[in-house]
Amino acid sequence: MSQETFDPVQQVEVCRVCGGSDWQEVVSFGPLPLANSYLEPGGSLDDEPRYPLGVISCRSCRLLTLTHTVDPEVLYRTYFYVTSDSDTIATHMRGLAELCVERFGIPEGGFVVELGSNTGQQLAAFRDLGMEVLGIDPARSLAAQATERGIETLPDFFSAQTAARVVKEYGRARLLLGRHVFAHIDDVADIARGARDLLEPSGVFAIEVPYALDMLEHNEFDTIYHEHLSYYSVSTLSTLFARHGMRVVDVERAAVHGGSVIVFVSREDAPWEPRPVVAELQELERASGFFEDATYDTFAGRVDHVRQTLAPLVRELVADGKRVAGYGAPAKGNTLLGVSGLNAGDLEFCIDTTDLKQGRLQPGSHIPITSPEHGAQNPPDYYLLLAWNYAKEILGKERAFLENGGRFIVPVPSPRIVSRVEDL
Ligand code: TYD
Ligand code: ZN
């Protein structure tokens, strides 16, 4: 294929889970830049690539998916996202490692493979428990960084082909892990086949994804961006794996990233009987209206409310002489800013703890990203809490800001002003 004809954007026609094609339109955010493509200052701001962003729902299996896919080579080869070094996440990762090892009886020296292993932080927790570990991540610089810190990481996309290679060179795995990566994958059938091949007969594939039920219930629409192709429920994942000779045997709900589920999948003939929670959550999904069009119409209405009210709220404060900045520069913040139309004229800066982001500009809105120290020296009157998934941790450590009269604007489910951690 010549360079000229390569189109990195494809419209989704057929459901990647069930093959259906009866879609309900849910939301449409128009073309937006990639949420993790923080800009170098001084570069041209006019030719930022923008890609369509919208969500539809499959009326057969209720997969929620983006309307368009952006080629993974464009998204992930020079990827910026590093796993947040927050306390919340570090605790979660240690807990997850212990849970997997205990529940599925992984012996010392058991082989654990992680796809989308990023800087290797999660695998390090398994290594601390005595496991053999291997990471697989297409972001070349992250894979190199992880390998350097002692977590061997192949700079590849996970696929049935990669799985076959790992089996040949390293042997089969007791546990395959995918944290916040499965929802990024288009060809999930290939991943399911790869997982089946890679695992020992009693092995387990642990998938952590944002839980669609939480997204709908808490109006977390800003978690919609180009990397997040799919928004899963337990029901939809069960449909998917049943088509590949596998089944969901356990589920844990976790509070991270606005509400996630860790779904444990094994071969149908593996010695793990599905726990009652699997059926219970599927029933909860049904009872919550997950299979009804009206649920998605309601969600779209709530999204519209934020879209209509957030920017006027911020602009009123600014017009009143207040200074407003952003707290955190997470990817989701860029959907929120893009959808609500807030930009560098509204927020002075966004503070973020990530070195790589500091000194850059937010994609789309071009708000400068600065260090938390800069924020502490130039405290605004209001922080728009872009990293709302760490609300408790952040308000907990920003006591001084709050005591000096500072306020947070929490954008979802519906914009509100908070002055005490107790009011969250
Ligand atoms: P993350 O939760 O990983 O979200 P996303 O998947 O939407 O990118 O990002 C959180 C961001 O917030 C990350 O860039 C680090 C930043 N952050 C702070 O700046 N201060 C904090 O205290 C915390 C907890 C996070
Ligand atoms: Zn479907």
Side-chain angles (χ1 to χ4, degrees), residues 216-275:
L216 293 170
E217 209 165 294
H218 308 300
N219 201 29
E220 296 163 349
F221 70 90
D222 50 350
T223 60
I224 296 167
Y225 47 91
H226 297 98
E227 291 162 31
H228 294 167
L229 283 185
S230 302
Y231 304 81
Y232 285 111
S233 64
V234 176
S235 305
T236 306
L237 284 171
S238 298
T239 304
L240 168 67
F241 285 101
R243 291 165 67 95
H244 299 280
M246 297 175 87
R247 63 180 178 180
V248 177
V249 293
D250 205 355
V251 185
E252 282 283 329
R253 290 183 80 166
V256 296
H257 292 294
S260 302
V261 274
I262 307 156
V263 176
F264 299 90
V265 180
S266 71
R267 289 163 65 140
E268 258 157 16
D269 54 4
W272 313 110
E273 277 306 308
R275 293 200 167 192

Side-chain angles (χ1 to χ4, degrees), residues 81 86 225 257 330-332 352-354 357 387 389-390 394 397:
Y81 179 86
S86 80
Y225 47 91
H257 292 294
K332 67 173 87 61
D352 196 284
T353 49
T354 316
K357 294 180 184 174
N389 48 324
Y390 298 107
I394 289 172
K397 74 179 175 192

Side-chain angles (χ1 to χ4, degrees), residues 305-318 340 342:
H305 173 73
V306 179
R307 202 177 204 169
Q308 309 276 350
T309 56
L310 183 61
L313 170 69
V314 169
R315 286 179 188 146
E316 228 169 86
L317 291 170
V318 173
S340 54
L342 288 167

Side-chain angles (χ1 to χ4, degrees), residues 15-21 23 58-63 236 239:
C15 174
R16 67 179 61 87
V17 165
C18 75
S21 55
W23 298 107
C58 169
R59 285 200 173 93
S60 317
C61 74
R62 283 300 169 178
L63 170 75
T236 306
T239 304

